[in-house]
Amino acid sequence: MSAPHGINPNIPHSARVYDYWLGGKDNFEADRRVAEQTMAAVPGIRESARNNRAFLGRAVRRLSRLGIRQFLDLGTGIPSQGNTHEVAQAEAPESRVVYVDNDPIVMTHARALLTSTPEGETAYIEADVREPRTILDHPDVLSTLDFTQPIGLIMIAILMHIPDEDDPAALVKEFAEALPSGSHLVLSHLTLDFLDKETADHYLSATSKQAMHRTPRTGEQIARYFDGFELVEPGLVAVSEWHDEPLFTEAATWMYAGVGKKP
């Protein structure tokens, strides 16, 4: 894969590492090196990533069947199987989706591959989730989504890339305050809660040497992101346990997942 203009293939990026774990081909040697190093330090991380992708599909399908027809997907990542609009529009072709990412290569692939049904619509904006107003006030967001009607806010494995000093809870709150009643928050997040101390310490030691920032958080910390929302069953759980049969049951669990409804 050659690097598009403006992309440095020597600097790993979380979206491309995740793409590698999902079996994609839109990644560079630097991404593959970090992905393999992480897999060596973190047994089951690739399987957890795939369970995480399955959670996205399950949650979007659930929301679609509840009548949600529009979605704001933050931290889109490289397009793969089961993208938000594909799942939503399979249930309701008129569904409307806005994808947001701050990686130019992600947006290039999104525009090329994430094609809407004729009845629905997809839009793609390059923006930083740490600047909510630039997203919420973006003309493409406002022309695609109706903020008087319920919206599914998708935050899959994105907050773990935001350090504490950027106050991720405040970011979630700002997005949440813009959503009308009946909207839902779909969220997953890296955690060490399910691991033994030796494995957790090994992960922290190994990833401290990598260029990409990831902050694992406890279930108690992650639950605070749902302030103002009512968690729907089964609540905040291991990502593989959020309804249906998990894809990988023997792998270590590295992610929490949950869905909340705004009253």
Side-chain angles (χ1 to χ4, degrees):
M1 178 184 173
S2 60
H5 177 72
I7 300 298
N8 187 341
N10 298 313
I11 299 177
H13 191 283
S14 58
R16 297 189 294 269
V17 170
Y18 191 60
D19 173 72
Y20 178 80
W21 286 337
L22 294 179
K25 298 179 180 179
D26 296 310
N27 47 74
F28 302 113
E29 178 59 32
D31 305 306
R32 294 189 285 273
R33 185 165 56 248
V34 168
E36 290 289 348
Q37 289 171 352
T38 306
M39 286 164 56
V42 183
I45 191 69
R46 178 169 57 182
E47 292 78 8
S48 195
R50 294 179 179 183
N51 276 333
N52 187 56
R53 187 68 176 183
F55 162 67
L56 169 65
R58 294 169 183 173
V60 171
R61 193 173 300 112
R62 167 71 73 86
L63 266 56
S64 295
R65 292 174 181 177
L66 291 174
I68 303 297
R69 294 293 179 264
Q70 43 184 7
F71 298 84
L72 178 58
D73 190 331
L74 304 177
T76 302
I78 302 291
S80 184
Q81 292 184 341
N83 299 294
T84 297
H85 80 285
E86 293 172 329
V87 177
Q89 292 179 350
E91 296 289 332
E94 69 275 19
S95 296
R96 306 162 73 86
V97 179
V98 176
Y99 289 106
V100 181
D101 206 287
N102 67 345
D103 185 349
I105 196 172
V106 168
M107 289 293 95
T108 298
H109 284 279
R111 293 185 180 100
L113 300 174
L114 304 183
T115 304
S116 174
T117 60
E119 301 92 335
E121 186 173 348
T122 57
Y124 329 90
I125 68 169
E126 189 175 329
D128 194 323
V129 70
R130 293 171 296 183
E131 301 174 356
R133 289 305 340 163
T134 65
I135 297 170
L136 295 168
D137 296 335
H138 195 286
D140 290 348
V141 173
L142 296 175
S143 65
T144 305
L145 304 180
D146 178 359
F147 279 81
T148 69
Q149 299 298 317
I151 292 171
L153 178 64
I154 310 296
M155 303 188 81
I156 296 290
I158 181 65
L159 295 175
M160 66 193 203
H161 298 291
I162 299 176
D164 291 338
E165 53 263 33
D166 286 334
D167 199 354
L171 300 177
V172 177
K173 182 178 180 180
E174 189 166 352
F175 281 109
E177 288 176 344
L179 302 178
S181 175
S183 295
H184 287 69
L185 170 63
V186 177
L187 184 148
S188 65
H189 197 295
L190 179 69
T191 188
L192 305 181
D193 282 7
F194 302 107
L195 309 174
D196 61 80
K197 187 177 186 303
E198 181 180 359
T199 303
D201 288 345
H202 186 50
Y203 167 82
L204 293 172
S205 174
T207 55
S208 68
K209 301 179 179 66
Q210 296 179 358
M212 293 192 316
H213 178 87
R214 291 185 292 266
T215 301
R217 295 186 170 97
T218 66
E220 182 179 357
Q221 291 173 310
I222 297 166
R224 293 180 190 139
Y225 298 141
F226 289 95
D227 287 352
F229 292 87
E230 299 172 349
L231 274 169
V232 302
E233 290 196 12
L236 186 64
V237 296
V239 68
S240 61
E241 301 303 319
W242 203 89
H243 292 293
D244 302 328
E245 290 297 320
L247 297 179
F248 301 98
T249 57
E250 301 303 321
T253 296
W254 294 86
M255 304 285 288
Y256 272 114
V259 175
K261 179 180 180 180
K262 185 173 181 178

